[in-house]
Every structure is written in C-alpha cells, then in structure tokens.
Amino acid sequence: MVLKRNYIITCLLVLFFCGVTINASATHISKPVLVESDTHYIVGEKIVINGWVDYNAQPTADVLLNFQVITENNTVIVEKSSSSDKQGHFQFELDTKNLPPGIYKIMVTSHCLEVHRSICSYNSETLVVELNSP
C-alpha cells in the first residue's frame, strides 16, 4: 500500500513539474524596431515613425502594435493600434499642428500575433521627441 501511494505521489509531482516547465517557456517575444531617428520637430510638422516587428530576427506580418504619445507630465494624449504589414513593417504618423511645444514620448508596444496573445511579452520601444515653436 505504501509503495502504491509513493508511486502515485511521484507521478503527480512529475506531471506538476512538466506543466510548470511548459508554461514557463511558452512566451512569444516580438519587439518593435524603430528606424526613424529624427527627434527634433517644429509645431505643425508631421512626425512619421517607421519600423518593423522583430520576431526571431525576422520581420513579422500581422502583429498588433499599440502607439501612445505621452506628454512630459505622463499624460497619454494619443493612442492608436494597427498591425504590421505583409513585410512586417509599420508606420505611425502624428500631426503636431495642435500640440504645444515640449518633450513627448512616442511608445510603440508589440502585442504579438492574435494566436499568441495569451503568451505575449509586450515589448516596447520609446522615441523621445522635442517639439519646438516655429
């Protein structure tokens, strides 16, 4: 009877640790890569941010991205989502004609493919831009 109980406990522990290992390694890691390097603009100029989604060192299509524009006092003033195109590229445009001069952060967050949403790592890249008076 003791042998049977020890066998059952051992089997349950093995199943438990196998389940923990599977969940620990199941992470979808995609990240946005920004290719726009200009950080100084004048009020009224359109800011265009270009980039691509890196997954296993390859551009990846149909990855949902979230774009946020954040003011100096950490207020989100613009939020938009779109997916990477068939080549894995994305573009975000910000019209600055109604914005006051100042420092703004543009944060791009990868939300992964729809099928990987539950195991997504939500990696971000941030570009800090300075908006000056004309």
Side-chain angles (χ1 to χ4, degrees), residues 42-95:
I42 296 175
V43 173
E45 281 186 281
K46 186 180 286 189
I47 297 174
V48 179
I49 306 297
N50 293 296
W52 58 283
V53 177
D54 177 354
Y55 179 65
N56 288 336
Q58 297 292 322
T60 305
D62 297 323
V63 174
L64 182 64
L65 298 154
N66 178 264
F67 303 91
Q68 290 184 332
V69 180
I70 304 165
T71 64
E72 292 176 271
N73 63 358
N74 290 322
T75 302
V76 176
I77 58 169
V78 175
E79 187 164 11
K80 178 184 171 191
S81 294
S82 68
S83 295
S84 56
D85 66 16
K86 291 180 182 181
Q87 290 77 34
H89 297 105
F90 63 83
Q91 185 175 74
F92 172 72
E93 295 183 5
L94 176 65
D95 186 2

Short mmCIF file of all heavy atoms in Angstrom, two decimals, residues 42-95:
data_model
loop_
_atom_site.label_atom_id
_atom_site.label_comp_id
_atom_site.label_asym_id
_atom_site.label_seq_id
_atom_site.Cartn_x
_atom_site.Cartn_y
_atom_site.Cartn_z
N ILE A 42 9.26 70.87 -35.48
CA ILE A 42 8.66 72.18 -35.25
C ILE A 42 7.15 71.98 -35.24
O ILE A 42 6.62 71.17 -36.03
CB ILE A 42 9.08 73.18 -36.34
CG1 ILE A 42 10.59 73.40 -36.24
CG2 ILE A 42 8.33 74.49 -36.24
CD1 ILE A 42 11.18 74.26 -37.33
N VAL A 43 6.45 72.71 -34.36
CA VAL A 43 4.99 72.62 -34.29
C VAL A 43 4.43 72.81 -35.70
O VAL A 43 4.79 73.75 -36.41
CB VAL A 43 4.42 73.69 -33.33
CG1 VAL A 43 2.90 73.71 -33.40
CG2 VAL A 43 4.87 73.41 -31.90
N GLY A 44 3.55 71.92 -36.10
CA GLY A 44 2.96 71.95 -37.44
C GLY A 44 3.53 70.88 -38.34
O GLY A 44 2.89 70.49 -39.31
N GLU A 45 4.73 70.40 -38.06
CA GLU A 45 5.33 69.32 -38.84
C GLU A 45 4.65 68.00 -38.49
O GLU A 45 4.23 67.79 -37.36
CB GLU A 45 6.82 69.16 -38.55
CG GLU A 45 7.72 70.15 -39.22
CD GLU A 45 9.18 69.81 -38.98
OE1 GLU A 45 9.68 70.11 -37.87
OE2 GLU A 45 9.80 69.24 -39.90
N LYS A 46 4.61 67.11 -39.46
CA LYS A 46 4.08 65.78 -39.21
C LYS A 46 5.24 64.88 -38.78
O LYS A 46 6.27 64.82 -39.45
CB LYS A 46 3.42 65.21 -40.46
CG LYS A 46 2.73 63.87 -40.23
CD LYS A 46 2.10 63.34 -41.48
CE LYS A 46 0.85 64.13 -41.77
NZ LYS A 46 0.06 63.56 -42.86
N ILE A 47 5.07 64.21 -37.65
CA ILE A 47 6.06 63.24 -37.19
C ILE A 47 5.67 61.89 -37.77
O ILE A 47 4.54 61.44 -37.61
CB ILE A 47 6.10 63.17 -35.65
CG1 ILE A 47 6.52 64.52 -35.07
CG2 ILE A 47 7.03 62.06 -35.18
CD1 ILE A 47 6.45 64.60 -33.55
N VAL A 48 6.62 61.26 -38.46
CA VAL A 48 6.38 59.94 -39.03
C VAL A 48 7.40 58.97 -38.44
O VAL A 48 8.60 59.17 -38.57
CB VAL A 48 6.50 59.97 -40.57
CG1 VAL A 48 6.26 58.58 -41.15
CG2 VAL A 48 5.52 60.97 -41.17
N ILE A 49 6.89 57.94 -37.79
CA ILE A 49 7.73 56.91 -37.18
C ILE A 49 7.59 55.64 -38.01
O ILE A 49 6.49 55.14 -38.21
CB ILE A 49 7.30 56.61 -35.72
CG1 ILE A 49 7.24 57.88 -34.89
CG2 ILE A 49 8.19 55.55 -35.10
CD1 ILE A 49 8.54 58.59 -34.70
N ASN A 50 8.72 55.15 -38.49
CA ASN A 50 8.75 53.91 -39.26
C ASN A 50 9.48 52.84 -38.48
O ASN A 50 10.36 53.13 -37.66
CB ASN A 50 9.47 54.12 -40.60
CG ASN A 50 8.71 55.03 -41.52
OD1 ASN A 50 7.62 54.71 -41.94
ND2 ASN A 50 9.27 56.19 -41.80
N GLY A 51 9.11 51.59 -38.73
CA GLY A 51 9.79 50.49 -38.07
C GLY A 51 9.34 49.15 -38.59
O GLY A 51 8.59 49.07 -39.57
N TRP A 52 9.80 48.12 -37.93
CA TRP A 52 9.41 46.76 -38.28
C TRP A 52 9.33 45.92 -37.01
O TRP A 52 9.85 46.31 -35.98
CB TRP A 52 10.38 46.15 -39.30
CG TRP A 52 11.82 46.10 -38.88
CD1 TRP A 52 12.70 47.15 -38.86
CD2 TRP A 52 12.55 44.97 -38.41
NE1 TRP A 52 13.92 46.72 -38.40
CE2 TRP A 52 13.87 45.39 -38.13
CE3 TRP A 52 12.21 43.63 -38.20
CZ2 TRP A 52 14.84 44.52 -37.65
CZ3 TRP A 52 13.19 42.76 -37.73
CH2 TRP A 52 14.49 43.22 -37.47
N VAL A 53 8.63 44.81 -37.10
CA VAL A 53 8.45 43.93 -35.95
C VAL A 53 9.44 42.78 -36.06
O VAL A 53 9.44 42.05 -37.05
CB VAL A 53 7.01 43.39 -35.87
CG1 VAL A 53 6.87 42.42 -34.70
CG2 VAL A 53 6.03 44.53 -35.73
N ASP A 54 10.28 42.65 -35.04
CA ASP A 54 11.30 41.60 -34.99
C ASP A 54 10.78 40.42 -34.19
O ASP A 54 10.40 40.56 -33.03
CB ASP A 54 12.55 42.18 -34.33
CG ASP A 54 13.67 41.15 -34.14
OD1 ASP A 54 13.47 39.96 -34.42
OD2 ASP A 54 14.75 41.56 -33.69
N TYR A 55 10.76 39.26 -34.83
CA TYR A 55 10.46 38.01 -34.13
C TYR A 55 11.45 36.97 -34.66
O TYR A 55 11.44 36.67 -35.84
CB TYR A 55 9.02 37.56 -34.36
CG TYR A 55 8.71 36.25 -33.68
CD1 TYR A 55 8.74 36.15 -32.29
CD2 TYR A 55 8.42 35.11 -34.41
CE1 TYR A 55 8.48 34.94 -31.66
CE2 TYR A 55 8.15 33.91 -33.78
CZ TYR A 55 8.18 33.83 -32.41
OH TYR A 55 7.94 32.64 -31.78
N ASN A 56 12.31 36.48 -33.81
CA ASN A 56 13.37 35.56 -34.21
C ASN A 56 14.24 36.14 -35.32
O ASN A 56 14.56 35.46 -36.30
CB ASN A 56 12.80 34.19 -34.63
CG ASN A 56 12.28 33.40 -33.47
OD1 ASN A 56 12.70 33.60 -32.34
ND2 ASN A 56 11.34 32.50 -33.74
N ALA A 57 14.57 37.42 -35.20
CA ALA A 57 15.44 38.14 -36.13
C ALA A 57 14.86 38.23 -37.54
O ALA A 57 15.58 38.40 -38.51
CB ALA A 57 16.84 37.52 -36.17
N GLN A 58 13.55 38.15 -37.65
CA GLN A 58 12.86 38.26 -38.94
C GLN A 58 11.71 39.25 -38.83
O GLN A 58 11.02 39.27 -37.81
CB GLN A 58 12.29 36.90 -39.37
CG GLN A 58 13.31 35.83 -39.59
CD GLN A 58 14.18 36.11 -40.80
OE1 GLN A 58 13.71 36.60 -41.82
NE2 GLN A 58 15.46 35.82 -40.68
N PRO A 59 11.47 40.06 -39.87
CA PRO A 59 10.26 40.90 -39.88
C PRO A 59 9.02 39.99 -39.88
O PRO A 59 8.99 38.96 -40.56
CB PRO A 59 10.36 41.67 -41.19
CG PRO A 59 11.79 41.58 -41.59
CD PRO A 59 12.30 40.28 -41.04
N THR A 60 8.00 40.37 -39.11
CA THR A 60 6.83 39.52 -38.95
C THR A 60 5.55 40.30 -39.25
O THR A 60 5.34 41.39 -38.72
CB THR A 60 6.77 38.95 -37.52
OG1 THR A 60 8.00 38.28 -37.27
CG2 THR A 60 5.63 37.98 -37.35
N ALA A 61 4.70 39.73 -40.10
CA ALA A 61 3.45 40.35 -40.52
C ALA A 61 2.35 40.12 -39.49
O ALA A 61 2.40 39.19 -38.68
CB ALA A 61 3.02 39.79 -41.87
N ASP A 62 1.33 40.99 -39.55
CA ASP A 62 0.10 40.85 -38.77
C ASP A 62 0.30 40.85 -37.26
O ASP A 62 -0.44 40.20 -36.52
CB ASP A 62 -0.68 39.59 -39.18
CG ASP A 62 -1.12 39.64 -40.62
OD1 ASP A 62 -1.49 40.74 -41.07
OD2 ASP A 62 -1.07 38.59 -41.30
N VAL A 63 1.30 41.58 -36.78
CA VAL A 63 1.49 41.72 -35.34
C VAL A 63 0.82 43.02 -34.91
O VAL A 63 1.06 44.08 -35.50
CB VAL A 63 2.99 41.75 -34.97
CG1 VAL A 63 3.17 42.04 -33.49
CG2 VAL A 63 3.65 40.43 -35.34
N LEU A 64 -0.05 42.95 -33.92
CA LEU A 64 -0.75 44.13 -33.42
C LEU A 64 0.22 45.01 -32.65
O LEU A 64 0.95 44.54 -31.78
CB LEU A 64 -1.92 43.73 -32.53
CG LEU A 64 -2.75 44.89 -31.97
CD1 LEU A 64 -3.44 45.64 -33.11
CD2 LEU A 64 -3.76 44.38 -30.97
N LEU A 65 0.22 46.31 -32.97
CA LEU A 65 1.06 47.29 -32.30
C LEU A 65 0.19 48.37 -31.70
O LEU A 65 -0.82 48.77 -32.28
CB LEU A 65 2.04 47.92 -33.29
CG LEU A 65 3.01 46.94 -33.92
CD1 LEU A 65 3.47 47.44 -35.27
CD2 LEU A 65 4.18 46.73 -33.01
N ASN A 66 0.59 48.84 -30.52
CA ASN A 66 -0.08 49.94 -29.87
C ASN A 66 0.87 51.13 -29.85
O ASN A 66 2.03 50.99 -29.47
CB ASN A 66 -0.48 49.55 -28.44
CG ASN A 66 -1.16 50.68 -27.72
OD1 ASN A 66 -0.52 51.41 -26.98
ND2 ASN A 66 -2.44 50.84 -27.93
N PHE A 67 0.37 52.30 -30.27
CA PHE A 67 1.16 53.53 -30.30
C PHE A 67 0.57 54.51 -29.29
O PHE A 67 -0.64 54.76 -29.30
CB PHE A 67 1.11 54.16 -31.70
CG PHE A 67 1.59 53.25 -32.78
CD1 PHE A 67 0.71 52.42 -33.46
CD2 PHE A 67 2.93 53.21 -33.13
CE1 PHE A 67 1.15 51.58 -34.47
CE2 PHE A 67 3.38 52.38 -34.14
CZ PHE A 67 2.49 51.56 -34.81
N GLN A 68 1.41 55.05 -28.44
CA GLN A 68 0.98 56.05 -27.47
C GLN A 68 1.89 57.26 -27.55
O GLN A 68 3.11 57.11 -27.64
CB GLN A 68 1.03 55.52 -26.04
CG GLN A 68 0.00 54.48 -25.72
CD GLN A 68 0.05 54.08 -24.25
OE1 GLN A 68 1.08 54.15 -23.61
NE2 GLN A 68 -1.09 53.65 -23.73
N VAL A 69 1.28 58.44 -27.50
CA VAL A 69 2.03 59.69 -27.39
C VAL A 69 1.79 60.21 -25.98
O VAL A 69 0.64 60.38 -25.57
CB VAL A 69 1.58 60.71 -28.45
CG1 VAL A 69 2.37 62.00 -28.31
CG2 VAL A 69 1.73 60.13 -29.86
N ILE A 70 2.88 60.45 -25.26
CA ILE A 70 2.82 60.78 -23.83
C ILE A 70 3.50 62.12 -23.61
O ILE A 70 4.62 62.35 -24.09
CB ILE A 70 3.50 59.67 -23.01
CG1 ILE A 70 2.85 58.32 -23.33
CG2 ILE A 70 3.44 59.97 -21.52
CD1 ILE A 70 3.65 57.12 -22.88
N THR A 71 2.85 63.01 -22.85
CA THR A 71 3.39 64.33 -22.57
C THR A 71 4.44 64.26 -21.46
O THR A 71 4.64 63.21 -20.85
CB THR A 71 2.28 65.31 -22.13
OG1 THR A 71 1.73 64.83 -20.90
CG2 THR A 71 1.21 65.45 -23.19
N GLU A 72 5.05 65.42 -21.18
CA GLU A 72 6.07 65.50 -20.13
C GLU A 72 5.52 65.13 -18.75
O GLU A 72 6.26 64.65 -17.90
CB GLU A 72 6.66 66.91 -20.08
CG GLU A 72 7.48 67.24 -21.31
CD GLU A 72 7.98 68.67 -21.28
OE1 GLU A 72 7.26 69.56 -21.76
OE2 GLU A 72 9.10 68.88 -20.77
N ASN A 73 4.23 65.36 -18.53
CA ASN A 73 3.65 65.01 -17.22
C ASN A 73 2.96 63.64 -17.25
O ASN A 73 2.08 63.37 -16.45
CB ASN A 73 2.70 66.11 -16.73
CG ASN A 73 1.51 66.30 -17.63
OD1 ASN A 73 1.39 65.64 -18.67
ND2 ASN A 73 0.62 67.20 -17.26
N ASN A 74 3.39 62.79 -18.20
CA ASN A 74 2.93 61.39 -18.32
C ASN A 74 1.45 61.23 -18.63
O ASN A 74 0.83 60.26 -18.21
CB ASN A 74 3.32 60.58 -17.09
CG ASN A 74 4.81 60.35 -17.02
OD1 ASN A 74 5.45 60.13 -18.04
ND2 ASN A 74 5.36 60.42 -15.83
N THR A 75 0.89 62.17 -19.37
CA THR A 75 -0.49 62.06 -19.84
C THR A 75 -0.50 61.51 -21.26
O THR A 75 0.21 62.02 -22.13
CB THR A 75 -1.18 63.44 -19.83
OG1 THR A 75 -1.12 63.96 -18.50
CG2 THR A 75 -2.62 63.35 -20.29
N VAL A 76 -1.27 60.45 -21.49
CA VAL A 76 -1.40 59.89 -22.84
C VAL A 76 -2.38 60.77 -23.62
O VAL A 76 -3.53 60.92 -23.22
CB VAL A 76 -1.90 58.44 -22.80
CG1 VAL A 76 -2.13 57.90 -24.20
CG2 VAL A 76 -0.93 57.56 -22.03
N ILE A 77 -1.89 61.38 -24.71
CA ILE A 77 -2.74 62.28 -25.49
C ILE A 77 -3.20 61.66 -26.81
O ILE A 77 -4.18 62.11 -27.39
CB ILE A 77 -2.05 63.64 -25.76
CG1 ILE A 77 -0.73 63.45 -26.49
CG2 ILE A 77 -1.86 64.39 -24.45
CD1 ILE A 77 -0.13 64.74 -27.01
N VAL A 78 -2.50 60.64 -27.26
CA VAL A 78 -2.89 59.91 -28.48
C VAL A 78 -2.63 58.43 -28.22
O VAL A 78 -1.59 58.07 -27.68
CB VAL A 78 -2.06 60.37 -29.71
CG1 VAL A 78 -2.39 59.52 -30.93
CG2 VAL A 78 -2.29 61.83 -30.01
N GLU A 79 -3.60 57.61 -28.62
CA GLU A 79 -3.41 56.16 -28.56
C GLU A 79 -4.04 55.55 -29.79
O GLU A 79 -5.19 55.86 -30.13
CB GLU A 79 -4.01 55.57 -27.29
CG GLU A 79 -3.69 54.11 -27.12
CD GLU A 79 -3.93 53.60 -25.72
OE1 GLU A 79 -4.53 54.31 -24.90
OE2 GLU A 79 -3.48 52.47 -25.45
N LYS A 80 -3.28 54.73 -30.48
CA LYS A 80 -3.74 54.14 -31.73
C LYS A 80 -3.16 52.74 -31.84
O LYS A 80 -2.06 52.48 -31.34
CB LYS A 80 -3.26 54.99 -32.91
CG LYS A 80 -3.64 54.46 -34.26
CD LYS A 80 -3.03 55.32 -35.36
CE LYS A 80 -3.25 54.64 -36.69
NZ LYS A 80 -2.48 55.27 -37.76
N SER A 81 -3.89 51.84 -32.48
CA SER A 81 -3.39 50.49 -32.73
C SER A 81 -3.47 50.18 -34.21
O SER A 81 -4.38 50.64 -34.90
CB SER A 81 -4.22 49.45 -31.97
OG SER A 81 -4.05 49.60 -30.58
N SER A 82 -2.51 49.43 -34.69
CA SER A 82 -2.53 48.92 -36.05
C SER A 82 -1.61 47.71 -36.13
O SER A 82 -0.82 47.47 -35.21
CB SER A 82 -2.12 49.99 -37.07
OG SER A 82 -0.77 50.32 -36.92
N SER A 83 -1.71 46.97 -37.21
CA SER A 83 -0.91 45.76 -37.38
C SER A 83 0.23 46.00 -38.36
O SER A 83 0.14 46.85 -39.25
CB SER A 83 -1.78 44.62 -37.89
OG SER A 83 -2.75 44.29 -36.94
N SER A 84 1.28 45.22 -38.20
CA SER A 84 2.38 45.29 -39.16
C SER A 84 1.89 44.75 -40.51
O SER A 84 1.00 43.90 -40.57
CB SER A 84 3.58 44.49 -38.66
OG SER A 84 3.24 43.15 -38.38
N ASP A 85 2.47 45.29 -41.59
CA ASP A 85 2.03 44.89 -42.93
C ASP A 85 2.60 43.53 -43.32
O ASP A 85 3.24 42.85 -42.51
CB ASP A 85 2.38 45.98 -43.96
CG ASP A 85 3.87 46.17 -44.17
OD1 ASP A 85 4.68 45.30 -43.77
OD2 ASP A 85 4.24 47.22 -44.74
N LYS A 86 2.40 43.13 -44.57
CA LYS A 86 2.82 41.81 -45.04
C LYS A 86 4.34 41.61 -44.97
O LYS A 86 4.81 40.49 -44.91
CB LYS A 86 2.32 41.56 -46.46
CG LYS A 86 0.83 41.39 -46.54
CD LYS A 86 0.37 41.15 -47.95
CE LYS A 86 -1.15 41.03 -47.96
NZ LYS A 86 -1.67 40.75 -49.30
N GLN A 87 5.08 42.71 -45.00
CA GLN A 87 6.54 42.62 -44.91
C GLN A 87 7.03 42.80 -43.46
O GLN A 87 8.23 42.82 -43.20
CB GLN A 87 7.22 43.67 -45.80
CG GLN A 87 7.07 43.41 -47.29
CD GLN A 87 5.69 43.78 -47.81
OE1 GLN A 87 5.07 44.73 -47.35
NE2 GLN A 87 5.20 43.01 -48.76
N GLY A 88 6.11 42.97 -42.51
CA GLY A 88 6.47 43.14 -41.12
C GLY A 88 6.77 44.58 -40.72
O GLY A 88 7.24 44.83 -39.63
N HIS A 89 6.48 45.54 -41.61
CA HIS A 89 6.76 46.96 -41.34
C HIS A 89 5.53 47.68 -40.80
O HIS A 89 4.40 47.24 -41.00
CB HIS A 89 7.24 47.64 -42.62
CG HIS A 89 8.52 47.08 -43.12
ND1 HIS A 89 8.60 46.24 -44.21
CD2 HIS A 89 9.78 47.21 -42.67
CE1 HIS A 89 9.85 45.89 -44.41
NE2 HIS A 89 10.60 46.46 -43.48
N PHE A 90 5.78 48.80 -40.14
CA PHE A 90 4.69 49.64 -39.64
C PHE A 90 5.08 51.10 -39.77
O PHE A 90 6.25 51.45 -39.92
CB PHE A 90 4.33 49.31 -38.19
CG PHE A 90 5.44 49.56 -37.20
CD1 PHE A 90 5.67 50.83 -36.67
CD2 PHE A 90 6.27 48.52 -36.79
CE1 PHE A 90 6.70 51.05 -35.76
CE2 PHE A 90 7.29 48.73 -35.88
CZ PHE A 90 7.50 50.00 -35.36
N GLN A 91 4.05 51.96 -39.71
CA GLN A 91 4.26 53.41 -39.75
C GLN A 91 3.23 54.08 -38.85
O GLN A 91 2.08 53.68 -38.81
CB GLN A 91 4.10 53.93 -41.18
CG GLN A 91 4.44 55.40 -41.32
CD GLN A 91 4.39 55.84 -42.77
OE1 GLN A 91 3.30 55.98 -43.32
NE2 GLN A 91 5.55 56.05 -43.36
N PHE A 92 3.69 55.08 -38.10
CA PHE A 92 2.81 55.86 -37.24
C PHE A 92 3.03 57.33 -37.57
O PHE A 92 4.17 57.79 -37.66
CB PHE A 92 3.14 55.61 -35.77
CG PHE A 92 2.41 56.52 -34.82
CD1 PHE A 92 1.05 56.36 -34.59
CD2 PHE A 92 3.07 57.54 -34.18
CE1 PHE A 92 0.37 57.21 -33.73
CE2 PHE A 92 2.41 58.39 -33.30
CZ PHE A 92 1.05 58.22 -33.08
N GLU A 93 1.94 58.06 -37.79
CA GLU A 93 2.01 59.49 -38.11
C GLU A 93 1.32 60.30 -37.02
O GLU A 93 0.25 59.92 -36.55
CB GLU A 93 1.34 59.77 -39.46
CG GLU A 93 2.06 59.12 -40.62
CD GLU A 93 1.43 59.48 -41.96
OE1 GLU A 93 0.49 60.31 -42.01
OE2 GLU A 93 1.88 58.92 -42.97
N LEU A 94 1.95 61.41 -36.65
CA LEU A 94 1.40 62.30 -35.64
C LEU A 94 1.40 63.72 -36.20
O LEU A 94 2.45 64.26 -36.54
CB LEU A 94 2.23 62.25 -34.35
CG LEU A 94 1.82 63.22 -33.25
CD1 LEU A 94 0.42 62.88 -32.72
CD2 LEU A 94 2.83 63.18 -32.11
N ASP A 95 0.21 64.30 -36.29
CA ASP A 95 0.07 65.69 -36.72
C ASP A 95 0.28 66.58 -35.50
O ASP A 95 -0.41 66.44 -34.49
CB ASP A 95 -1.32 65.90 -37.32
CG ASP A 95 -1.50 67.28 -37.93
OD1 ASP A 95 -0.53 68.08 -37.93
OD2 ASP A 95 -2.60 67.56 -38.41
#
